[in-house]
Amino acid sequence: MKSLFNYIKEVVYAFVSLAKGLLLTLRYFVTIRKVNITEEYPNNRTTTISVKERFYGEVVLPHDENNEHKCTACTLCQIACPNNSIQIISKQIETEDGKKKRVLDKWVYHLDSCTFCYQCIDACPQDAIEMKNSFELSVYDRTKLIYQLNRPGSKLKEKPTVKEQQS
Amino acid sequence: MNASTVIFYVLGSLVLIFGAMTVFSQKIFRAAVYLLFSLISVAGLYLLWDMDFIAALQIIIYVGGIVVLIIFSIFLTQRSGEKLPPPIKKRLVWSGILTISGLGLTSWIVYNYLFSASTLPGVEPTVHNIGEQMLSYSKYGYVFPFEVINILLLAALVGSIVIAMKKKEIKPTDETTHITK
Amino acid sequence: MISMIEFTDITAWIHSLLLSVMTPTWTYIVELALSGVTALVVLLVCVIIMVYMERKVAGFMQLRWGPNRVGPYGIFQVIADVIKLLLKESFSPNRADKVMFNIAPALALCVSLMALAPISWAPGLTMWDTNIGILFITAISSMGVIGILMAGWSSNNKYSLIGAMRSGAQIVSYELSAGLSIVTAVALAGTLSTNGIIQSQADGWWILKGQIPAIIAFLIYVIASTAECNRAPFDLAEAESELTAGYHTEYAGMQFGIFYLNEYINMAIVSIIASTLFLGGWMPFHLPFDYPVVHVFNHIMDFIPTWMWFFGKMFLIIFFMMWFRWTFPRLRIDQLLKLEWKYLLPISIVNLLFAAVIIVLHWHL
């Protein structure tokens, strides 16, 4: 008798647990407009497309409103890069007070050989470079994938001196 | 010669042709499929004679049941995809003689038997009539064969359970369990 | 009652038109061909809708859109797929049994189309109005396994053979509980003819009138027929993770297409039978009570045309089967056989006894 009772209980439990799954999929089916997770990519590229911030798309050198960047041309990123995607070309200039100083001339980025490993950004002591989450990077010619990241006419952002910091 | 005669001869020849192919085919799976076609043609004959119920039963029992079982057992045999060896000549002669004499005997009996047309009215195969006929114990009732078949099927069931039942395994001694652990 | 054009009027009109131009024999032959072609076209249109529906249901249940590139809402996707299948080469493997290999898809299709004959599409619209209709359909569906076995055997491929054997074991065992639940409905209706069964539901569908046994029989029939169609969660025959594609692994092009078509035709037939037996086929929704309100309700239901009821119920049950497919994971072969022999079969036997008691005591409405 007990085994018969267990048998019936098993059948009823089976139906209950199946109904749970069925109700979940039915909810998805009915509310598909809300729960849908498909990005209709080429159609929504100007409207609702969203890529996570942490996506590694390409290396950028941010400039502020005065067209100044933070790169001191220390070449630590170039050394850290495992596949030579970064080329730092620096030049000597003479400052107003007659000192000779090495500044950045060209920050050349070979996107075609970059593996987006993030090691250059980890290596940078000045936090001058960043990873951007852009993803539409393809072009028709490989030579077009060599970018110069510093804008023309940009210069190093002067660090506030101790005096200025105090005031 | 009207259409139903033509259909009769077409179906009859299909039954015979596929029957012969079943016997003479050297590939056992093909033989089973030819048997299937032959049985379907028999069902077609029943349909031609307006015996829908018998035709449906022919398909359920012979085509859906027996032939599927035969095909299954062919699947389970070894090397069933290869051609069968050609029959031995001596056996071929003997079996030919026996078959022809059997055919002669049957056709002789059929030829000499006086078939009288049935005077009983036809029975409509409604559910009610089928049920009554199956369980009635009057003159044309089928309750006796029905029960006999029940007992036969029960015996087959019990027999198959006995064959399939596992013998109780001897429990390993404590030492061996220790080792396997 | 609005004077509506009934299907019987159309058939009578065609009959008189044909009689006016040719002899009765030719009329008979032409009508046979015409009814066959019409049923086939209706079914193919249904299959196209079903394939599109399956993809959309699958997409929606998996949080995606489904096909939406070819035409508005992707409605021409199926047509594009059919064109692709038609243009592909039908290829048979080198060591296959070529004759059997090529016959198998055609045989499978023929068998499932034969089950169309006794189906009652609308009042007075039946191709073969025989008094053993449901029995004939059961007989034909027991033949469906032959095409699969032939395909699996003749491919000369271990995956195909294993798939065919699994599918055979599955169909043969689930036939039993499907048959027993059909018997429950037949016992309630007291006839085997499809027209008769539908007429017996004029004052209410069997799923309402037949009390608990009818509901249990309906559930068992839907489960068993899902298994008979080899659809997920019972799709072990083509379990792609273990058997690549089961019995149709070696088929390409339109030969594969026929197996695919066959699956959907089987689904359509099974759901037509389920709706005929339990949901009243083309019969509008009527309540079996004798109150003025109920009479008004029944009369309002009559305004909805019968073809809408027929296809509505058919697609409802098809939706159930798709819902199962995209919700449940696949069973193992031992679980499959356990489900049939330890659960469905005993339950349906007990259910049949229960139904017999209810019928004898006239407890059904």
Side-chain angles (χ1 to χ4, degrees):
Chain A
M1 202 63 216
K2 203 185 172 193
S3 64
L4 184 70
F5 178 72
N6 282 341
Y7 180 85
I8 293 168
K9 202 170 80 177
E10 215 175 305
V11 172
V12 172
Y13 273 0
F15 269 100
V16 170
S17 66
L18 290 179
K20 272 183 195 166
L22 285 173
L23 284 178
L24 183 75
T25 41
L26 185 68
R27 208 183 69 219
Y28 288 158
F29 181 78
V30 175
T31 60
I32 182 65
R33 291 199 176 277
K34 270 188 228 163
V35 294
N36 181 27
I37 52 170
T38 309
E39 298 279 358
E40 286 183 277
Y41 164 56
N43 295 357
N44 67 350
R45 56 183 299 213
T46 52
T47 52
T48 59
I49 187 89
S50 72
V51 180
K52 288 279 181 282
E53 278 295 311
R54 61 174 187 270
F55 178 74
Y56 293 169
E58 63 177 323
V59 176
V60 290
L61 184 66
H63 292 65
D64 63 2
E65 64 276 6
N66 304 326
N67 204 10
E68 288 175 340
H69 55 76
K70 291 195 238 166
C71 180
T72 56
C74 65
T75 69
L76 279 177
C77 50
Q78 188 179 351
I79 293 160
C81 185
N83 40 5
N84 290 335
S85 308
I86 299 171
Q87 241 181 315
I88 309 285
I89 300 166
S90 53
K91 61 182 178 188
Q92 296 277 343
I93 56 161
E94 211 156 307
T95 49
E96 289 159 9
D97 43 341
K99 276 182 191 165
K100 277 193 175 170
K101 199 180 172 189
R102 209 162 61 110
V103 293
L104 183 69
D105 185 27
K106 279 176 183 165
W107 207 108
V108 183
Y109 175 43
H110 294 261
L111 183 58
D112 52 349
S113 59
C114 179
T115 58
F116 314 107
C117 65
Y118 210 75
Q119 288 189 26
C120 50
I121 292 150
D122 281 340
C124 185
Q126 311 288 333
D127 291 336
I129 46 180
E130 279 174 9
M131 198 59 105
K132 205 174 143 193
N133 62 353
S134 56
F135 56 95
E136 291 172 326
L137 302 171
S138 48
V139 289
Y140 281 102
D141 190 355
R142 194 180 165 180
T143 55
K144 287 180 186 161
L145 284 172
I146 301 166
Y147 296 106
Q148 186 188 336
L149 290 191
N150 55 329
R151 293 181 193 152
S154 63
K155 59 181 180 188
L156 179 68
K157 191 177 192 175
E158 292 298 331
K159 271 190 187 164
T161 52
V162 183
K163 232 181 184 177
E164 280 170 353
Q165 266 180 347
Q166 280 168 350
S167 67
Chain B
M1 199 158 170
N2 53 4
S4 62
T5 323
V6 174
I7 295 171
F8 171 75
Y9 280 114
V10 168
L11 283 173
S13 53
L14 278 179
V15 172
L16 291 179
I17 289 168
F18 281 121
M21 281 164 91
T22 312
V23 178
F24 292 119
S25 173
Q26 286 205 320
K27 288 184 173 174
I28 191 159
F29 180 73
R30 282 199 183 187
V33 174
Y34 294 141
L35 177 65
L36 171 105
F37 286 138
S38 177
L39 292 171
I40 292 176
S41 313
V42 173
L45 281 179
Y46 288 137
L47 279 179
L48 182 69
W49 295 327
D50 265 346
M51 299 197 291
D52 304 344
F53 184 66
I54 305 291
L57 287 188
Q58 164 88 8
I59 291 175
I60 288 183
I61 294 166
Y62 286 99
V63 180
I66 290 176
V67 172
V68 170
L69 269 182
I70 289 174
I71 291 177
F72 251 85
S73 43
I74 289 172
F75 277 12
L76 294 172
T77 50
Q78 279 190 335
R79 293 191 296 168
S80 45
E82 292 165 18
K83 269 192 175 180
L84 295 175
I88 300 162
K89 287 274 161 56
K90 209 174 168 185
R91 283 189 201 167
L92 206 66
V93 172
W94 273 111
S95 54
I97 290 167
L98 280 175
T99 323
I100 288 167
S101 52
L103 181 73
L105 184 70
T106 324
S107 42
W108 181 72
I109 288 169
V110 169
Y111 189 75
N112 282 328
Y113 185 77
L114 284 176
F115 287 99
S116 53
S118 170
T119 49
L120 288 170
V123 180
E124 272 288 294
T126 57
V127 182
H128 190 80
N129 284 346
I130 294 165
E132 292 250 297
Q133 204 76 15
M134 196 77 91
L135 293 177
S136 82
Y137 42 84
S138 57
K139 194 181 174 191
Y140 293 105
Y142 285 92
V143 74
F144 183 63
F146 186 73
E147 291 300 326
V148 168
I149 289 168
N150 280 354
I151 291 167
L152 180 72
L153 288 178
L154 185 69
L157 253 175
V158 173
S160 58
I161 289 172
V162 168
I163 290 170
M165 204 157 54
K166 270 185 193 168
K167 279 174 191 161
K168 269 188 185 173
E169 282 178 26
I170 304 153
K171 277 185 184 173
T173 53
D174 287 4
E175 270 182 51
T176 50
T177 48
H178 183 73
I179 290 162
T180 47
K181 270 176 189 173
Chain C
M1 191 80 192
I2 310 168
S3 65
M4 277 190 297
I5 300 172
E6 295 284 343
F7 285 108
T8 40
D9 300 338
I10 299 172
T11 49
W13 179 71
I14 291 174
H15 184 73
S16 57
L17 186 79
L18 286 174
L19 269 181
S20 65
V21 287
M22 51 184 79
T23 59
T25 318
W26 277 107
T27 310
Y28 185 65
I29 293 169
V30 169
E31 277 175 357
L32 276 181
L34 210 62
S35 57
V37 169
T38 316
L40 200 60
V41 167
V42 169
L43 205 68
L44 286 180
V45 171
C46 284
V47 167
I48 286 176
I49 296 169
M50 276 155 70
V51 174
Y52 176 70
M53 181 176 152
E54 170 110 82
R55 293 176 154 200
K56 276 292 183 192
V57 169
F60 285 8
M61 288 187 176
Q62 295 173 345
L63 308 185
R64 49 189 182 84
W65 283 125
N68 60 356
R69 294 288 116 173
V70 190
Y73 299 99
I75 50 172
F76 297 128
Q77 183 68 51
V78 184
I79 291 161
D81 286 348
V82 170
I83 291 170
K84 186 203 95 175
L85 281 175
L86 283 172
L87 293 178
K88 272 172 91 172
E89 182 191 2
S90 286
F91 176 81
S92 58
N94 211 4
R95 297 187 59 190
D97 191 339
K98 293 254 163 46
V99 180
M100 294 285 154
F101 188 84
N102 290 316
I103 289 176
L107 188 78
L109 187 68
C110 283
V111 166
S112 38
L113 288 179
M114 267 164 79
L116 283 180
I119 285 172
S120 176
W121 300 88
L125 199 71
T126 313
M127 272 200 272
W128 181 39
D129 193 4
T130 170
N131 50 13
I132 54 139
I134 290 292
L135 187 71
F136 181 78
I137 292 174
T138 324
I140 292 302
S141 65
S142 73
M143 270 168 72
V145 65
I146 301 277
I148 291 172
L149 288 176
M150 269 170 78
W153 173 264
S154 58
S155 302
N156 201 358
N157 174 333
K158 56 179 179 261
Y159 295 133
S160 305
L161 186 62
I162 295 171
M165 283 197 69
R166 280 184 181 185
S167 149
Q170 183 179 329
I171 292 177
V172 168
S173 35
Y174 277 78
E175 201 109 277
L176 291 171
S177 45
L180 279 173
S181 45
I182 287 177
V183 168
T184 311
V186 168
L188 285 166
T191 171
L192 279 168
S193 126
T194 46
N195 257 328
I197 289 171
I198 292 175
Q199 294 293 352
S200 73
Q201 306 180 58
D203 56 342
W205 302 346
W206 279 122
I207 200 162
L208 294 176
K209 288 198 299 176
Q211 318 271 30
I212 301 163
I215 297 169
I216 295 175
F218 178 69
L219 284 177
I220 288 176
Y221 185 74
V222 170
I223 295 170
S225 56
T226 312
E228 265 189 78
C229 294
N230 280 327
R231 282 178 63 81
F234 306 104
D235 64 340
L236 300 108
E238 47 200 88
E240 63 274 0
S241 51
E242 356 175 334
L243 298 181
T244 52
Y247 59 89
H248 54 62
T249 304
E250 298 287 356
Y251 284 92
M254 209 50 212
Q255 286 182 325
F256 165 75
I258 286 174
F259 276 119
Y260 194 69
L261 180 72
N262 196 24
E263 184 190 329
Y264 283 91
I265 288 178
N266 275 335
M267 245 171 98
I269 287 169
V270 156
S271 42
I272 288 171
I273 295 165
S275 81
T276 303
L277 289 174
F278 299 100
L279 304 179
W282 42 260
M283 190 60 80
F285 183 75
H286 289 162
L287 286 172
F289 306 112
D290 196 22
Y291 301 112
V293 184
V294 172
H295 286 299
V296 171
F297 176 79
N298 289 352
H299 200 68
I300 290 169
M301 283 296 154
D302 283 335
F303 282 97
I304 301 173
T306 51
W307 61 268
M308 219 180 253
W309 283 108
F310 184 86
F311 287 106
K313 289 169 194 170
M314 175 180 150
F315 278 105
L316 181 75
I317 294 167
I318 286 170
F319 175 75
F320 279 155
M321 291 168 85
M322 291 177 178
W323 191 9
F324 297 157
R325 175 168 181 175
W326 299 108
T327 306
F328 300 137
R330 186 186 301 130
L331 272 73
R332 271 198 325 263
I333 184 81
D334 62 318
Q335 292 169 333
L336 180 95
L337 294 176
K338 197 177 155 192
L339 175 69
E340 163 63 20
W341 294 102
K342 290 193 177 168
Y343 293 94
L344 292 187
L345 189 61
I347 290 175
S348 46
I349 289 173
V350 171
N351 186 45
L352 181 59
L353 283 176
F354 193 26
V357 169
I358 282 184
I359 293 159
V360 169
L361 298 178
H362 283 286
W363 280 355
H364 62 89
L365 296 165

